[in-house]
Amino acid sequence: MKAYPKVSKICCIGAGYVGGPTCTVIASKCTDITVTIVDINESRIAQWNSDSLPIFEPGLEEIVKSRRGQNLFFSTDILKAVKEADLIFISVNTPTKNFGVGKGRAADLKHIEACARLIADHSTSSKIVVEKSTVPVRAAESLSRILKANTKPGVTYQVLSNPEFLAEGTAICDLLNPDRVLIGGEDTEEGQLAIAALSSVYEVWVPKERIITTNTWSSELSKLTANAFLAQRISSINAISAVCEATGADVSEVARAIGMDTRLGPKFLQSSVGFGGSCFQKDLLNLVYISECLNLPEVAEYWQQVLNMNEFQKSRFAKRIVETMFNTITNKKITLLGFAFKKNTGDTRESPAIYIAKYLLEEGAVLQIYDPKVDSKQVFADLSGTLSVNLSEVVTVSKNPYDAAVGSHAIVVCTEWDEFTSLDYERMYSRMLKPAFVFDGRKILNHKKLIDIGFHVETIGCKLNNIASSFFFQNGKHW
Ligand SMILES: NC(=O)C1=CN([C@@H]2O[C@H](COP(=O)(O)OP(=O)(O)OC[C@H]3O[C@@H](n4cnc5c(N)ncnc54)[C@H](O)[C@@H]3O)[C@@H](O)[C@H]2O)C=CC1
Ligand SMILES: O=C(O)[C@H]1O[C@H](OP(=O)(O)OP(=O)(O)OC[C@H]2O[C@@H](n3ccc(=O)[nH]c3=O)[C@H](O)[C@@H]2O)[C@H](O)[C@@H](O)[C@@H]1O
């Protein structure tokens, strides 16, 4: 068996949050490889080819602009790119199934299967096919079977698992300097050669000791496990935040104290309004479903609890807003700062802000929303559908935070954007009705300073000494 020839043409199917940045970085590091990123979504490809990229990711635009048209191409001509490539990444979406068996939990693999069939139908030369999307364990088996059942004479396939661990908002740093690159493949000579071929692409910039290889199933399961552990840490600290609120302990102090234990480490201990993003919930649901299918109900229940705790955290926070504002927010204007699921991204998928906004709207509030990277079209799309209110009458999306505060009773911080920490809160306060409330769902603001200004401040995981606002209630004075 000969080694695979050096990879010279890569096709990436799926120009989303993973396919776009991942293959852009490959193109920038491996200038001798032609990288073509393809998608069925024509407008997305048009945006990748324009000055206004379809996703915001710090550092991405510069790299795209430096390689686009050189060795990096964005195209809707999927067949051409597939035919020409010797290595194909499948980076399509694998959302939670919303119909049929496994509805609401299993991963929907229809896009992966469509790619497999397209590759099998149109390939006239051998390919390494790489699962980049997050998939259930043993998905590569189905992929392999579809490819092999439809193989043309003289064409062979090797299927590898190469899950992506980048986080949005830090994708480019994560890709340039990954903790590890994981490649799973068959334990056969051909499988090992395919692993070596993909590894050689990463070795251009990733130290070899950080490229780890496993069997295919371990690689697939490691991705689900990594996300499950990360989400579990957030749910764990959020569970403790509820205990803190009931006892007078402070979750930030607890997180600092436990995080200095080198066995635990300080990362992913930021208590919040709850985790969001397109993957934690989806991948946990998938792990729960797989465990149930494997007749492991105790395992399924264990991981389900991480999700339950996240729901509890979001609803606790939303209820607290209403309770604090005298148990009624009907017709009250509330300013939402942040709509993205985390800072440095415009992505709103599963954003806790959507949950909070819907809850407040159901309670009769009027929302004035500001997020530096989420436009009003996206906000209205995310809030549409489930509510019994006429959205355009009760939601305004502002271009700056000061406009969003005009006439408002409360500020609710849903996303930890850095710019929210340096706003002029005296100016915000002067535009608001009194008493003016701040609900800091991300624990990023200077609470003491806000209380000194006159705000009543509530946050996650600690009781604040709102002396200034108690004074207001005692004296009934208008501020
Ligand atoms: N978003 C993230 O930060 C991360 C996502 N992942 C995983 O990567 C995968 C992709 O995620 P995202 O990039 O966020 O999804 P996305 O929704 O942003 O992008 C997926 C793209 O695939 C395209 N597509 C779907 N079917 C296609 C087909 N048959 N032919 C051509 N294009 C097709 C869609 O039009 C879409 O543009 C998922 O499995 C996800 O779990 C893994 C790590 C990080
Ligand atoms: O598979 C995926 O999609 C990716 O999912 C996450 O990345 P991402 O969702 O982009 O962002 P995170 O930084 O993990 O944040 C997820 C959510 O948890 C929240 N979070 C994070 C950390 C923390 O300490 N506290 C906390 O509430 C964030 O605000 C956000 O809402 C993982 O971190 C990536 O490794 C993984 O590749």
Side-chain angles (χ1 to χ4, degrees), residues 271-274 317 412-415 439-444 458-460:
S271 185
S272 66
V273 58
F317 184 68
V412 179
V413 178
C414 292
T415 312
F439 298 91
D440 183 0
R442 291 295 187 162
K443 298 178 73 64
I444 52 167
E458 296 282 328
T459 191
I460 308 273

mmCIF file of all heavy atoms in Angstrom, residues 271-274 317 412-415 439-444 458-460:
data_model
loop_
_atom_site.group_PDB
_atom_site.id
_atom_site.type_symbol
_atom_site.label_atom_id
_atom_site.label_comp_id
_atom_site.label_asym_id
_atom_site.label_seq_id
_atom_site.Cartn_x
_atom_site.Cartn_y
_atom_site.Cartn_z
ATOM 1 N N SER A 271 -19.938 31.884 36.485
ATOM 2 C CA SER A 271 -21.371 31.711 36.645
ATOM 3 C C SER A 271 -22.096 32.739 35.782
ATOM 4 O O SER A 271 -21.627 33.859 35.612
ATOM 5 C CB SER A 271 -21.718 31.905 38.121
ATOM 6 O OG SER A 271 -23.065 31.640 38.321
ATOM 7 N N SER A 272 -23.224 32.357 35.225
ATOM 8 C CA SER A 272 -23.886 33.246 34.264
ATOM 9 C C SER A 272 -25.377 32.996 34.265
ATOM 10 O O SER A 272 -25.891 32.169 35.010
ATOM 11 C CB SER A 272 -23.329 32.970 32.863
ATOM 12 O OG SER A 272 -23.701 31.662 32.462
ATOM 13 N N VAL A 273 -26.018 33.693 33.333
ATOM 14 C CA VAL A 273 -27.454 33.528 33.148
ATOM 15 C C VAL A 273 -27.768 32.162 32.530
ATOM 16 O O VAL A 273 -28.928 31.785 32.357
ATOM 17 C CB VAL A 273 -27.969 34.706 32.290
ATOM 18 C CG1 VAL A 273 -27.265 34.762 30.946
ATOM 19 C CG2 VAL A 273 -29.449 34.681 32.085
ATOM 20 N N GLY A 274 -26.731 31.402 32.202
ATOM 21 C CA GLY A 274 -26.907 30.081 31.579
ATOM 22 C C GLY A 274 -26.098 30.023 30.300
ATOM 23 O O GLY A 274 -25.824 31.049 29.699
ATOM 24 N N PHE A 317 -33.220 33.445 36.805
ATOM 25 C CA PHE A 317 -32.802 34.826 36.542
ATOM 26 C C PHE A 317 -33.997 35.648 36.034
ATOM 27 O O PHE A 317 -34.249 36.768 36.494
ATOM 28 C CB PHE A 317 -31.651 34.832 35.527
ATOM 29 C CG PHE A 317 -31.074 36.191 35.262
ATOM 30 C CD1 PHE A 317 -30.362 36.865 36.239
ATOM 31 C CD2 PHE A 317 -31.238 36.803 34.024
ATOM 32 C CE1 PHE A 317 -29.823 38.130 35.995
ATOM 33 C CE2 PHE A 317 -30.702 38.055 33.769
ATOM 34 C CZ PHE A 317 -30.005 38.722 34.761
ATOM 35 N N VAL A 412 -30.891 44.907 31.667
ATOM 36 C CA VAL A 412 -30.593 43.488 31.895
ATOM 37 C C VAL A 412 -29.398 43.127 31.020
ATOM 38 O O VAL A 412 -29.465 43.235 29.784
ATOM 39 C CB VAL A 412 -31.800 42.599 31.532
ATOM 40 C CG1 VAL A 412 -31.456 41.126 31.750
ATOM 41 C CG2 VAL A 412 -33.026 42.999 32.347
ATOM 42 N N VAL A 413 -28.298 42.722 31.638
ATOM 43 C CA VAL A 413 -27.105 42.370 30.861
ATOM 44 C C VAL A 413 -27.163 40.876 30.531
ATOM 45 O O VAL A 413 -27.134 40.025 31.413
ATOM 46 C CB VAL A 413 -25.803 42.680 31.643
ATOM 47 C CG1 VAL A 413 -24.574 42.265 30.838
ATOM 48 C CG2 VAL A 413 -25.744 44.155 31.999
ATOM 49 N N CYS A 414 -27.283 40.586 29.241
ATOM 50 C CA CYS A 414 -27.411 39.184 28.815
ATOM 51 C C CYS A 414 -26.128 38.648 28.193
ATOM 52 O O CYS A 414 -25.935 37.431 28.129
ATOM 53 C CB CYS A 414 -28.539 39.050 27.796
ATOM 54 S SG CYS A 414 -30.152 39.342 28.497
ATOM 55 N N THR A 415 -25.281 39.540 27.663
ATOM 56 C CA THR A 415 -24.039 39.104 27.007
ATOM 57 C C THR A 415 -22.891 39.898 27.613
ATOM 58 O O THR A 415 -23.052 41.078 27.938
ATOM 59 C CB THR A 415 -24.106 39.380 25.484
ATOM 60 O OG1 THR A 415 -25.354 38.901 24.991
ATOM 61 C CG2 THR A 415 -22.969 38.690 24.735
ATOM 62 N N PHE A 439 -29.842 44.303 36.227
ATOM 63 C CA PHE A 439 -29.745 42.867 36.469
ATOM 64 C C PHE A 439 -28.556 42.374 35.652
ATOM 65 O O PHE A 439 -28.622 42.309 34.420
ATOM 66 C CB PHE A 439 -31.037 42.168 36.038
ATOM 67 C CG PHE A 439 -32.229 42.637 36.833
ATOM 68 C CD1 PHE A 439 -33.002 43.713 36.391
ATOM 69 C CD2 PHE A 439 -32.556 42.035 38.036
ATOM 70 C CE1 PHE A 439 -34.075 44.171 37.134
ATOM 71 C CE2 PHE A 439 -33.633 42.483 38.789
ATOM 72 C CZ PHE A 439 -34.394 43.555 38.340
ATOM 73 N N ASP A 440 -27.470 42.099 36.332
ATOM 74 C CA ASP A 440 -26.236 41.743 35.627
ATOM 75 C C ASP A 440 -26.131 40.216 35.517
ATOM 76 O O ASP A 440 -25.629 39.542 36.410
ATOM 77 C CB ASP A 440 -25.032 42.331 36.396
ATOM 78 C CG ASP A 440 -23.720 42.053 35.684
ATOM 79 O OD1 ASP A 440 -23.744 41.409 34.615
ATOM 80 O OD2 ASP A 440 -22.663 42.489 36.191
ATOM 81 N N GLY A 441 -26.599 39.702 34.389
ATOM 82 C CA GLY A 441 -26.605 38.247 34.178
ATOM 83 C C GLY A 441 -25.248 37.685 33.828
ATOM 84 O O GLY A 441 -25.118 36.478 33.611
ATOM 85 N N ARG A 442 -24.240 38.560 33.744
ATOM 86 C CA ARG A 442 -22.903 38.077 33.361
ATOM 87 C C ARG A 442 -21.837 38.436 34.384
ATOM 88 O O ARG A 442 -20.666 38.126 34.190
ATOM 89 C CB ARG A 442 -22.520 38.671 31.998
ATOM 90 C CG ARG A 442 -23.361 38.122 30.856
ATOM 91 C CD ARG A 442 -23.127 36.651 30.658
ATOM 92 N NE ARG A 442 -23.799 36.154 29.466
ATOM 93 C CZ ARG A 442 -23.487 35.018 28.870
ATOM 94 N NH1 ARG A 442 -22.526 34.261 29.346
ATOM 95 N NH2 ARG A 442 -24.151 34.621 27.817
ATOM 96 N N LYS A 443 -22.247 39.147 35.425
ATOM 97 C CA LYS A 443 -21.309 39.508 36.490
ATOM 98 C C LYS A 443 -20.097 40.274 35.951
ATOM 99 O O LYS A 443 -18.944 39.965 36.284
ATOM 100 C CB LYS A 443 -20.829 38.242 37.235
ATOM 101 C CG LYS A 443 -21.959 37.505 37.923
ATOM 102 C CD LYS A 443 -21.505 36.243 38.617
ATOM 103 C CE LYS A 443 -20.729 36.493 39.867
ATOM 104 N NZ LYS A 443 -21.503 37.144 40.913
ATOM 105 N N ILE A 444 -20.356 41.238 35.081
ATOM 106 C CA ILE A 444 -19.225 41.960 34.489
ATOM 107 C C ILE A 444 -19.138 43.413 34.954
ATOM 108 O O ILE A 444 -18.139 44.078 34.719
ATOM 109 C CB ILE A 444 -19.265 41.950 32.933
ATOM 110 C CG1 ILE A 444 -20.639 42.443 32.439
ATOM 111 C CG2 ILE A 444 -18.920 40.581 32.386
ATOM 112 C CD1 ILE A 444 -20.647 42.768 30.956
ATOM 113 N N GLU A 458 -28.959 43.753 40.925
ATOM 114 C CA GLU A 458 -29.055 42.320 41.242
ATOM 115 C C GLU A 458 -28.112 41.592 40.297
ATOM 116 O O GLU A 458 -27.988 41.947 39.116
ATOM 117 C CB GLU A 458 -30.482 41.798 40.993
ATOM 118 C CG GLU A 458 -31.543 42.412 41.871
ATOM 119 C CD GLU A 458 -31.561 41.838 43.299
ATOM 120 O OE1 GLU A 458 -31.239 40.636 43.455
ATOM 121 O OE2 GLU A 458 -31.884 42.596 44.240
ATOM 122 N N THR A 459 -27.455 40.555 40.822
ATOM 123 C CA THR A 459 -26.597 39.765 39.939
ATOM 124 C C THR A 459 -26.683 38.299 40.323
ATOM 125 O O THR A 459 -27.411 37.927 41.240
ATOM 126 C CB THR A 459 -25.142 40.295 39.954
ATOM 127 O OG1 THR A 459 -24.411 39.653 38.898
ATOM 128 C CG2 THR A 459 -24.440 40.017 41.278
ATOM 129 N N ILE A 460 -25.942 37.480 39.586
ATOM 130 C CA ILE A 460 -25.968 36.033 39.804
ATOM 131 C C ILE A 460 -25.024 35.677 40.951
ATOM 132 O O ILE A 460 -23.902 36.172 41.024
ATOM 133 C CB ILE A 460 -25.439 35.301 38.544
ATOM 134 C CG1 ILE A 460 -26.162 35.767 37.294
ATOM 135 C CG2 ILE A 460 -25.448 33.790 38.726
ATOM 136 C CD1 ILE A 460 -27.405 35.068 36.954
#
